Amino acid sequence: MPTAALDAEAREILRANDLGGYTVPTHGLYPYQWNWDSALVALGQRHVDEARAWREIETLLTGQWDDGMVPHIVFHQVDPGYFPGPQEWGVEHIPPTSGITQPPVAATTVRRLYDSARAVDREAAARRLFPKLLAWHRWFHDKRDRDGGGLIGIVHPWESGRDNSPDWDAALAAVDIADVGDLRRRDITHVEADQRPLEDDYLRYTALVAVGRDCGWDPALLRASSPFWMLCPGFNAILLRAHRDLAELAWALGETSAATEIARWIAAMEAGFERLWDDEAHVYRCHDALTDEPVDGLGSATFLPLYAGAASADQAAQLAERLSDWLDQVRYGVPSCDPADPRFEPKRYWRGPVWLVVNRMIAEGLADYGFDELAARIRGDSATLVETGGFYESFDPTTGNGVGGDRFSWTAAMWLDWASPSALN
Ligand code: DGY
């Protein structure tokens, strides 16, 4: 299909998934507002309606808690087609929300909206959002830096955004599922089961929701009793990058004391990243903070410290080499799991498929370190996947076939903002 037709289809998907102030990732499978989905979708919306893009972030922040946390789902209206819904989370908030967060992309988006603003009062729009984003970023360091080492822990695989990555297998195996009872999962009524997490994963996801609910989602109680506390290079890289973007906004808005505070977080995180570097394998690994052990196996998050500027030149070169090795083993990059790992499954959610949102972050990181050819390869693969597979949630790296939900908002957004030959940047 010609580029102009794909651009038009992407715009049409964003309009069709707009429920009025917020965008669902796709109808059916994900009927609410998801945190990092919305932040990434706003980057596409700016090519359709600039003011609407800002509104996506404003609506997401209606879910923000008093302590600053921005939840991973905002349940703007009840939809029985999704599990676990507001009742299972047991959060008292209007609008209802989940009890956990998600990769904090929003500050990066707001900085990009600010820099590219044409028809909106960017000063006023950024001033409205800035204190809320600052409070969220502060929340991470206040509540989730368990040992003061600078890195932020996640208490549920859903917080990573990479739900069923093999990165979590060992830690999830230790989660007690005795009291979970019957699952009422709805995802496999929308999408083939072989493209979704296993039943056993869902039992553990649900058990972790129950742990949080039993703690009343109190961060201090969760810190004391969560059976899952992982340091993920992907999550931390996205936050570190967002800190850098928030600091730029702070300077632009004259918020100098905030800029100083953010600079402290940045320094702490940069130092913390060294802990995730495996000096023998030359990769970043997730780290289980409860056992103090690095995680066996690799997901695509290993490459994201490039996007945060957290790697040295040597580390970047080693990551680029590893990435090339992965790309030699598949038709389209970047697979979400090491293709040489026996747990690699090319169609199963975050155990193999290619995700355009991650591809973009990896490609940007590679370009920042001067690996332009590799970055271009990833952008080219991303374009080909949409051109041949459509606007799916993700793509099988061995065939290019779309997997998961169709007419997916963030794939449409990444096309318009990045992968399309007509994209501006
Ligand atoms: C899901 O329901 O699959 C989501 O990824 C959880 O956020």
Side-chain angles (χ1 to χ4, degrees):
M1 204 188 279
T3 297
L6 284 167
D7 288 356
E9 190 178 344
R11 289 197 179 89
E12 189 274 318
I13 289 170
L14 292 184
R15 283 195 202 96
N17 290 348
D18 180 353
L19 292 199
Y22 72 97
T23 307
V24 293
T26 182
H27 288 286
L29 182 62
Y30 301 121
Y32 299 113
Q33 184 174 27
W34 261 260
N35 186 327
W36 74 322
D37 287 76
S38 266
L40 291 157
V41 162
L43 292 174
Q45 278 168 338
R46 67 178 161 159
H47 303 285
V48 181
D49 176 345
E50 209 186 331
R52 178 65 188 77
W54 285 89
R55 188 155 171 234
E56 187 75 25
I57 309 296
E58 281 164 16
T59 311
L60 173 66
L61 292 172
T62 63
Q64 184 166 34
W65 290 9
D66 289 346
D67 68 359
M69 198 271 274
V70 181
H72 101 296
I73 307 176
V74 187
F75 299 109
H76 291 289
Q77 91 278 298
V78 178
D79 190 312
Y82 182 78
F83 170 86
Q87 258 194 322
E88 284 82 19
W89 289 96
V91 168
E92 285 183 28
H93 189 275
I94 299 170
T97 71
S98 68
I100 56 173
T101 191
Q102 230 179 5
V105 184
T108 298
T109 292
V110 170
R111 182 193 172 183
R112 289 177 181 196
L113 295 182
Y114 184 88
D115 287 347
S116 66
R118 290 184 307 272
V120 294
D121 179 351
R122 67 177 193 169
E123 189 79 13
R127 278 197 191 285
R128 273 199 303 278
L129 296 175
F130 182 81
K132 299 178 185 183
L133 294 170
L134 184 68
W136 185 22
H137 285 214
R138 185 181 293 127
W139 177 87
F140 285 115
H141 291 275
D142 283 354
K143 311 293 187 196
R144 292 291 188 83
D145 180 0
R146 192 186 175 88
D147 57 7
L151 293 183
I152 303 310
I154 56 170
V155 298
H156 197 296
W158 287 340
E159 288 197 319
S160 72
R162 302 182 301 114
D163 303 9
N164 66 336
S165 166
D167 284 345
W168 321 128
D169 286 1
L172 281 181
V175 172
D176 182 4
I177 51 173
D179 294 331
V180 171
D182 287 342
L183 290 178
R184 286 176 291 110
R185 0 181 356 190
R186 307 304 307 274
D187 58 316
I188 46 181
T189 66
H190 302 291
V191 164
E192 298 293 330
D194 65 356
Q195 299 175 14
R196 293 292 301 172
L198 299 171
E199 199 73 356
D200 192 56
D201 297 321
Y202 257 84
L203 286 168
R204 288 161 210 280
Y205 301 154
T206 309
L208 288 175
V209 171
V211 169
R213 198 178 54 226
D214 292 348
C215 292
W217 299 107
D218 178 302
L221 291 179
L222 255 180
R223 191 179 175 127
S225 55
S226 176
F228 186 95
W229 196 288
M230 301 291 296
L231 307 179
C232 166
F235 190 96
N236 279 283
I238 289 169
L239 178 60
L240 176 52
R241 175 64 185 254
H243 279 341
R244 297 194 199 282
D245 292 315
L246 195 63
E248 288 301 318
L249 278 172
W251 287 118
L253 298 174
E255 299 279 354
T256 47
S257 76
T260 309
E261 185 179 9
I262 298 164
R264 277 201 303 274
W265 301 333
I266 291 173
M269 293 194 83
E270 285 175 341
F273 258 100
E274 279 314 300
R275 192 162 155 201
L276 303 185
W277 181 253
D278 177 337
D279 222 1
E280 277 169 30
H282 309 304
V283 288
Y284 287 98
R285 289 191 187 282
C286 291
H287 192 90
D288 188 328
L290 299 180
T291 60
D292 199 18
E293 291 289 338
V295 163
D296 174 34
L298 283 184
S300 48
T302 192
F303 304 113
L304 288 178
L306 297 172
Y307 165 76
S312 67
D314 271 1
Q315 288 167 330
Q318 286 161 342
L319 289 173
E321 202 175 306
R322 175 65 66 121
L323 180 56
S324 300
D325 175 54
W326 280 28
L327 296 180
D328 287 346
Q329 299 172 59
V330 291
R331 200 160 150 203
Y332 302 101
V334 174
S336 46
C337 167
D338 180 353
D341 189 317
R343 295 169 292 184
F344 172 74
E345 290 185 77
K347 287 196 294 183
R348 198 182 292 284
Y349 211 38
W350 288 91
R351 296 177 91 86
V354 178
W355 296 74
L356 258 62
V357 291
V358 175
N359 272 11
R360 188 210 182 137
M361 293 177 190
I362 294 173
E364 285 186 355
L366 287 166
D368 287 346
Y369 282 87
F371 296 100
D372 293 337
E373 220 171 284
L374 211 42
R377 153 92 199 261
I378 292 168
R379 184 173 173 176
D381 279 9
S382 303
T384 306
L385 286 167
V386 169
E387 283 156 2
T388 58
F391 290 96
Y392 273 87
E393 181 175 7
S394 58
F395 300 87
D396 179 331
T398 61
T399 62
N401 292 336
V403 288
D406 192 4
R407 292 174 58 75
F408 217 82
S409 298
W410 73 10
T411 306
M414 288 302 101
W415 171 263
L416 285 176
D417 197 54
W418 173 64
S420 166
S422 69
L424 296 177
N425 48 341

